[in-house]
């Protein structure tokens, strides 16, 4: 199977790290190209203030990455509020 490299930028936007701003920067055929993309983005407005937020992950084409279900953000917030009481 063919591998590709995903580049994301992730920034925590709440003090307890439970809310994040996630940006997909791109998908690259080699790790070297992914690293070059990170270096280009680190020079841009916004990214240069959060240089540590870049992540490169290798994945396989035509393969599910997310393999389970999910709950909505509203359900998650409700669950957090119940736990706090």
């Amino acid at each position: 199977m063919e591998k590709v490299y995903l580049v994301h930028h992730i920034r925590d936007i709440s003090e307890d790290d439970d809310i994040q701003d996630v940006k997909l920067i791109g998908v690259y055929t080699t790790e070297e190209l992914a690293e070059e993309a990170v270096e280009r983005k680190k020079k841009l407005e916004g990214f240069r203030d959060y240089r540590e937020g870049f992540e490169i992950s290798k994945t396989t084409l035509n393969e599910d990455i997310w393999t389970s279900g999910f709950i909505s953000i509203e359900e998650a917030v409700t669950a957090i509020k119940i736990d706090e009481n």
Side-chain angles (χ1 to χ4, degrees):
M1 297 228 164
E2 189 172 349
K3 302 286 185 182
V4 293
Y5 296 83
L6 304 174
V7 177
H8 286 91
H9 185 268
I10 302 170
R11 181 176 64 93
D12 294 328
I13 57 176
S14 68
E15 289 185 21
D16 52 4
D17 299 340
D18 64 344
I19 301 175
Q20 296 179 318
D21 176 24
V22 180
K23 295 172 184 64
L24 173 62
I25 303 302
V27 182
Y28 303 90
T29 55
T30 67
E31 189 170 11
E32 180 181 1
L33 289 172
E35 290 170 354
E36 289 172 2
V38 168
E39 291 307 312
R40 286 192 305 274
K41 299 303 173 253
K42 283 182 177 181
K43 299 173 186 173
L44 299 177
E45 183 177 349
F47 292 118
R48 66 177 159 241
D49 298 326
Y50 299 94
R51 298 172 59 88
E52 300 304 315
F54 290 96
E55 290 187 8
I56 297 174
S57 58
K58 183 166 74 170
T59 191
T60 304
L61 291 176
N62 303 319
E63 181 176 282
D64 292 345
I65 295 170
W66 194 293
T67 58
S68 63
F70 70 95
I71 64 171
S72 70
I73 190 69
E74 294 83 9
E75 292 169 314
V77 168
T78 299
I80 291 168
K81 288 179 180 177
I82 290 171
D83 286 345
E84 289 176 349
N85 292 327

